[in-house]
Every structure is written in structure tokens, then in C-alpha cells.
């Protein structure tokens, strides 16, 4: 029986759309393939993409939702993978990506993935120090319109094999189904690394006068391992998290059934449209109030707080300094504004730049990542302290996650994130340590940053 006939008889959600894609794939068999990377596209009705993604059995699974736009993406499978388990030089990454870019002029081709926080140390299995995917099948929603995209990679092997691989992937697509209900789980155990005693030691080391004079900021973080009584659907958690912090980036990467990395991050690393660049300084934190009056008082206290204002200004200055050699113009907000999330609020300064011709995405990643908001200043001194003292490998926490594209690329800083494993969720939170930082207050800031996701997961 023909593949599209099977879809029609099964009442598949995408029966007509996949029939059209299958016809286009069959037509490719009869024409010479001129472009190494080919993308086919059809329109379909809107549907909840996270629900669709959760139902799929093909890996990897990828979800991306930008902070400021009414667009989200769900993608499965891979027709091109760039995976680096070991240390990789930024120049080599840039060269590999540029070679790949030159293989097509198609403006819609996107490579989704991420970079670890620190690519000089060992990273998580499957995620590696850098991992980017050209998906096999993508669903992209913009407003009420959804496009189904199929990507084909004709660089190596026989065209017939690649066409058949795409047909096989279509045959495995499942109907969307409702997400599993967000049932609260029973906490079986929790461990924090570093624990509070070690955290206090680290904060005191950073704030010593001799150290702080040469390294005015180190962002210390904590890995909280939460063991629960059942397995966790990462996509249910992400959907609930998304509902509570809609003005954040929301994304997830699941390269196998064993591990998923999800994030509901407020922080943009950068958005590039051609030569125009948008980034930001997001540093300095307080909690939300119980009512509008208390919320405004807390926000004003954050604006007036010398320690937090100094921390945000350090980040702003660093970003402007590293962008200046790459840009014809750089402009940044002089005064911070308040950026509100569900449980906390931050100081925020917008930064804009007009890039010089020829500046690549990997030059931007090398310049901006990791930002002082997740690493510290000076960058190398702060990173060395973190490597030697923090006590765990951050992996993709505080890394850079997003997509690369000819016309437009966007990356978020992967804070407010979680690595989900069988019956375990690994949570991460950090705090900028500067002169005047108090260990107890900074520890409480970590708890505040975990409050949203913990309230989704755990039955206290």
C-alpha cells in the first residue's frame, strides 16, 4: 500500500500534508539533484507543537520558542549532525559551519543546537561540547500558521538512499496527543553541589580583597540533584514552565530517551538579522512582591541597590567592549530597566550593534559566550576559578542554545535549565559574586531561581 494511502486510512492528522510531501519526494527521484541541501515545505493547520513533539518516537527531538516572537519550532530526526565530544577550537567550528552554509542559498535552513558553558572540560554524554542538528522534519508555527518542512542532505551517498530515509521518517511520525498530566512527584532525595558550607567558603574566597581587586566578579553556581519516585516527561515540564514564564526563551534538546535538557531562560545571548545585532546585560536579581505595591517597592530597591547595579554595569561594559572591534556601531542603555519573571525580577540593559561586513556567528559566539552574567570578569580568571573550585561540570547549563541560519541566528543563555534523566531531575542556578556579596543571601537567590520549576515537579 502506498505510504500516503496508509496515512489517509489511519486518519492521520497530517494525511493531506504528508501526501503532498511524499509526492514531492517521489518527484525528486526523477530530476537531477543540484543543491547538496534541499528543503521541502507544505502548509498545515495550527496545533500545539510540544504535544506533537512529545508523541514522537524519532530522536533527536528539539523544541525552540523565541522570547519576543509568536513563533515556535518542533523538530525530529537528523539529516546532518555536528557533534564534538572532545575539545574543539572555535576557528574549526566556524570553518565547518561556513563550509556547510556555502552548500545552499536556501534562507530557511536552520541548524539547531548548543555549546557547553566551558568547552575545555568534559561535557555530558550525547550533548558534547558542541552539538548542532539539521533536523529531518520540522514544524514551524508563526501565529496561526504552521509549515511542515522536510530537509534532505545529498552531500554523501546515493540520492535514492536519502529520499528513502526521508520517506521512512515520515512513515514513523505519530499523531499528536495530549501531554501527560503534570502530576506532582514525591521527593525521594536531594543533594546540592556545592553544599552550603562549601558555598560559603567559595563566596568568602571570591570576596577577599586581594582576589576581588583582580577578579571583580565570579558567577558561582550549584547543581541540585532531585531524585523522585517516577519518570518525568520533559515536554510536560517544559510546557508547564512555559505557561508560568511566557516572556522567556523556551527550548529543549533530547538526543535519546535517556536524557533531555530543557530551559525556560530569560536571557538572550544575541539575535542577529543580517548585520544587525541585539543583545543585553541581564544581571542583578530580587524576588517578586505579593501585590503590585510590594512588587514596585522591590523593583525600585533593586534599581537603587549598589551591589546589583554594579554587577549589571560590569556585564554591560564587557559586552560593549567585546563587540566594539566587530562592529561599526555599538549602543547600550545607560540606565537599567526591570525585567519581570514569575518568581523573580532582574536588572536589564538592551545593547544594539551594527556588525562589520563578514563577521560570522562563531566570531560572535567566541566574543560573547560565556557572558559575565554566567561566568564573571575578567573572563579567563573567573572561568579558571570555576573550573578549579566549583566541583562539578556545568555541561550545557549556562551554555549557548539556539539556531544558525544565513539571514538570522538566535541564541539564548541556557540558565533556568534542567537535565532530566530517569527518575531524576538535575537543576542548576547561579549567582554573581561581587564585592559585598553575602553567602546566605546568594544561597537564597539560588533557591528563588529554582522555585518555579520545583513548584511544577514536587509534592512538598
Amino acid at each position: 500500500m502506498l505510504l500516503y494511502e496508509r496515512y489517509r486510512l489511519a486518519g492521520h492528522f497530517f494525511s493531506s500534508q504528508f501526501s503532498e510531501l511524499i509526492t514531492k519526494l517521489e518527484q525528486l527521484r526523477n530530476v537531477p539533484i543540484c543543491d547538496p541541501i534541499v528543503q521541502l515545505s507544505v502548509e498545515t493547520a495550527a496545533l500545539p507543537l510540544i504535544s506533537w513533539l512529545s508523541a514522537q518516537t524519532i530522536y533527536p527531538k528539539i523544541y525552540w520558542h523565541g522570547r519576543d516572537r509568536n513563533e515556535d519550532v518542533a523538530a525530529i530526526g537528523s539529516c546532518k549532525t555536528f557533534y564534538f565530544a572532545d575539545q574543539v577550537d572555535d576557528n574549526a567550528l566556524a570553518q565547518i559551519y561556513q563550509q556547510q552554509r556555502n552548500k545552499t542559498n536556501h534562507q530557511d535552513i536552520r541548524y539547531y543546537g548548543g555549546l557547553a558553558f566551558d568547552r575545555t572540560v568534559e561535557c555530558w554524554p550525547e550533548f558534547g561540547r558542541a552539538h548542532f542538528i539539521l533536523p529531518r522534519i520540522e514544524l514551524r508555527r508563526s501565529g496561526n500558521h504552521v509549515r511542515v518542512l522536510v530537509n534532505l542532505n545529498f552531500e554523501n551517498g546515493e540520492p535514492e538512499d536519502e529520499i528513502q530515509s526521508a520517506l521512512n521518517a515520515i512513515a514513523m511520525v505519530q499523531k499528536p496527543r495530549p501531554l501527560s498530566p503534570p502530576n506532582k512527584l514525591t521527593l525521594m532525595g536531594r543533594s546540592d553541589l556545592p553544599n552550603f558550607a562549601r558555598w560559603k567558603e567559595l563566596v568568602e574566597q571570591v570576596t577577599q580583597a586581594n582576589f576581588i581587586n583582580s577578579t571583580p566578579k565570579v558567577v558561582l553556581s550549584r547543581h541540585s540533584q532531585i531524585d523522585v519516585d517516577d519518570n518525568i516527561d520533559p515536554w510536560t515540564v517544559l510546557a508547564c514552565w512555559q505557561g508560568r514564564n511566557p516572556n522567556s526563551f523556551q527550548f529543549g534538546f533530547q538526543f535519546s530517551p535517556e536524557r533531555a535538557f530543557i530551559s525556560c531562560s530569560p536571557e538572550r545571548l544575541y539575535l542577529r538579522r543580517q548585520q544587525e545585532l541585539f543583545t543585553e546585560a541581564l544581571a542583578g536579581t530580587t524576588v517578586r512582591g505579593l501585590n503590585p505595591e510590594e512588587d514596585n517597592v522591590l523593583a525600585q530597591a533593586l534599581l537603587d541597590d549598589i551591589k546589583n547595579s554594579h554587577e549589571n554595569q560590569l556585564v554591560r561594559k564587557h559586552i560593549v567592549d567585546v563587540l566594539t572591534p566587530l562592529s561599526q556601531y555599538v549602543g547600550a542603555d545607560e540606565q537599567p530597566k526591570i525585567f519581570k519573571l514569575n518568581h523573580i525580577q532582574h536588572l536589564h540593559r538592551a545593547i544594539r550593534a551594527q556588525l562589520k561586513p563578514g563577521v560570522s556567528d562563531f566570531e560572535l559566539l567566541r566574543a560573547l559566550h560565556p557572558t559575565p552574567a554566567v561566568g564573571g570578569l575578567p573572563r579567563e580568571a573567573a572561568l579558571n576559578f570555576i573550573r578549579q573550585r566549583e566541583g562539578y561540570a556545568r555541561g550545557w547549563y549556562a551554555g549557548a542554545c539556539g539556531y544558525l541560519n544565513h539571514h538570522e541566528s538566535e541564541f539564548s543563555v541556557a540558565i533556568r535549565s534542567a537535565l532530566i534523566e530517569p527518575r531524576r531531575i538535575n537543576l542548576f542556578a547561579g549567582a554573581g559574586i561581587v564585592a559585598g556579596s553575602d553567602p546566605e543571601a546568594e544561597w537564597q537567590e539560588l533557591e528563588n531561581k529554582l522555585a518555579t520549576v520545583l513548584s511544577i515537579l514536587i509534592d512538598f
Side-chain angles (χ1 to χ4, degrees):
M1 185 184 295
L2 291 174
L3 185 57
Y4 60 79
E5 185 66 12
R6 291 215 311 267
Y7 274 114
R8 187 184 67 78
L9 292 176
H12 197 281
F13 187 88
F14 291 129
S15 58
S16 62
Q17 288 79 16
F18 278 145
S19 294
E20 187 177 345
L21 283 169
I22 291 163
T23 299
K24 290 183 177 184
L25 285 165
E26 298 287 357
Q27 289 170 348
L28 281 179
R29 288 182 159 132
N30 303 316
V31 297
I33 306 297
C34 301
D35 207 343
I37 305 295
V38 171
Q39 186 176 78
L40 306 177
S41 172
V42 297
E43 301 282 333
T44 189
L47 76 160
L49 295 196
I50 292 185
S51 298
W52 177 83
L53 189 63
S54 178
Q56 304 313 308
T57 58
I58 301 174
Y59 294 88
K61 300 183 186 182
I62 296 168
Y63 179 79
W64 174 262
H65 178 85
R67 188 180 69 188
D68 304 327
R69 291 179 296 175
N70 190 18
E71 179 201 68
D72 57 349
V73 179
I76 57 173
S78 168
C79 67
K80 181 74 177 183
T81 299
F82 301 97
Y83 172 68
F84 301 92
D86 300 318
Q87 190 166 349
V88 57
D89 178 73
D90 285 320
N91 293 323
L93 278 174
Q95 185 176 13
I96 291 166
Y97 174 62
Q98 194 59 44
Q99 290 170 350
Q100 194 65 21
R101 270 188 68 172
N102 292 339
K103 289 170 182 170
T104 180
N105 290 317
H106 200 301
Q107 294 298 314
D108 265 353
I109 298 293
R110 289 183 183 178
Y111 299 85
Y112 299 90
L115 304 174
F117 167 75
D118 184 351
R119 281 165 290 143
T120 69
V121 299
E122 189 174 350
C123 196
W124 303 332
E126 304 160 26
F127 291 85
R129 307 187 193 201
H131 198 163
F132 285 88
I133 297 286
L134 175 60
R136 174 64 75 195
I137 297 173
E138 293 179 63
L139 271 61
R140 292 191 201 165
R141 182 193 62 82
S142 180
N144 294 320
H145 301 283
V146 173
R147 286 189 301 150
V148 184
L149 309 172
V150 174
N151 297 308
L152 298 106
N153 173 21
F154 292 111
E155 293 179 78
N156 305 305
E158 292 296 322
E160 175 61 33
D161 294 340
E162 181 66 2
I163 292 168
Q164 190 57 51
S165 293
L167 290 168
N168 292 344
I170 290 174
M172 292 178 66
V173 171
Q174 305 296 309
K175 297 179 184 179
R177 63 171 183 260
L179 290 167
S180 56
N183 295 327
K184 295 294 182 72
L185 300 164
T186 300
L187 178 66
M188 305 301 290
R190 171 175 172 169
S191 62
D192 294 309
L193 189 65
N195 61 22
F196 178 71
R198 177 59 175 161
W199 173 266
K200 189 170 183 291
E201 288 178 8
L202 293 174
V203 173
E204 289 169 350
Q205 288 172 18
V206 171
T207 52
Q208 285 178 356
N210 289 341
F211 185 91
I212 211 81
N213 286 338
S214 61
T215 310
K217 178 179 180 179
V218 176
V219 181
L220 296 176
S221 73
R222 185 185 71 194
H223 168 206
S224 297
Q225 181 179 296
I226 312 291
D227 293 313
V228 292
D229 63 341
D230 202 354
N231 288 329
I232 303 160
D233 180 0
W235 306 111
T236 294
V237 177
L238 184 58
C240 293
W241 209 351
Q242 181 182 56
R244 299 192 189 191
N245 278 331
N247 56 338
S248 290
F249 291 91
Q250 298 117 23
F251 51 90
F253 293 87
Q254 188 174 20
F255 296 110
S256 76
E258 284 70 42
R259 291 180 188 84
F261 180 64
I262 61 173
S263 176
C264 199
S265 171
E267 186 171 355
R268 168 175 285 142
L269 183 64
Y270 73 83
L271 167 65
R272 175 190 60 80
R273 292 192 178 114
Q274 303 281 32
Q275 299 308 113
E276 193 174 15
L277 184 82
F278 304 89
T279 183
E280 62 197 20
L282 191 75
T285 305
T286 191
V287 295
R288 298 294 304 273
L290 297 176
N291 54 57
E293 292 76 18
E294 184 183 8
D295 203 49
N296 290 334
V297 169
L298 288 165
Q300 190 59 52
L302 180 61
L303 289 166
D304 295 338
D305 183 79
I306 295 173
K307 178 258 180 189
N308 280 289
S309 295
H310 173 61
E311 184 183 348
N312 190 273
Q313 179 64 17
L314 286 174
V315 176
R316 172 196 178 276
K317 181 180 185 303
H318 171 82
I319 293 173
V320 169
D321 288 348
V322 298
L323 283 178
T324 296
L326 303 175
S327 307
Q328 296 172 334
Y329 159 82
V330 182
D333 290 346
E334 288 297 328
Q335 300 299 322
K337 298 180 176 64
I338 294 293
F339 188 93
K340 294 181 184 288
L341 295 167
N342 189 262
H343 281 92
I344 56 178
Q345 42 195 335
H346 296 288
L347 293 179
H348 175 275
R349 282 180 167 96
I351 301 169
R352 300 156 300 281
Q354 186 67 31
L355 299 173
K356 292 177 180 177
V359 171
S360 72
D361 282 294
F362 278 94
E363 288 177 276
L364 294 172
L365 289 167
R366 183 165 56 230
L368 294 171
H369 172 63
T371 72
V374 294
L377 284 169
R379 180 192 283 177
E380 283 310 311
L383 292 182
N384 282 332
F385 186 91
I386 291 167
R387 285 182 197 117
Q388 295 167 13
R389 310 291 179 86
E390 199 167 61
Y392 78 98
R394 292 189 183 187
W396 278 27
Y397 162 64
C401 292
Y403 65 86
L404 299 159
N405 171 269
H406 261 295
H407 172 72
E408 174 182 285
S409 298
E410 185 167 32
F411 283 85
S412 172
V413 182
I415 55 176
R416 309 304 131 75
S417 54
L419 177 67
I420 296 176
E421 299 175 299
R423 297 189 175 225
R424 174 175 294 167
I425 184 163
N426 303 277
L427 301 176
F428 309 92
I433 310 304
V434 297
S437 289
D438 173 70
E440 288 82 2
E442 302 296 348
W443 184 265
Q444 185 57 49
E445 182 176 317
L446 304 183
E447 290 298 309
N448 295 339
K449 289 174 176 175
L450 298 186
T452 299
V453 68
L454 280 175
S455 69
I456 294 168
L457 288 164
I458 305 298
D459 185 12
F460 289 103

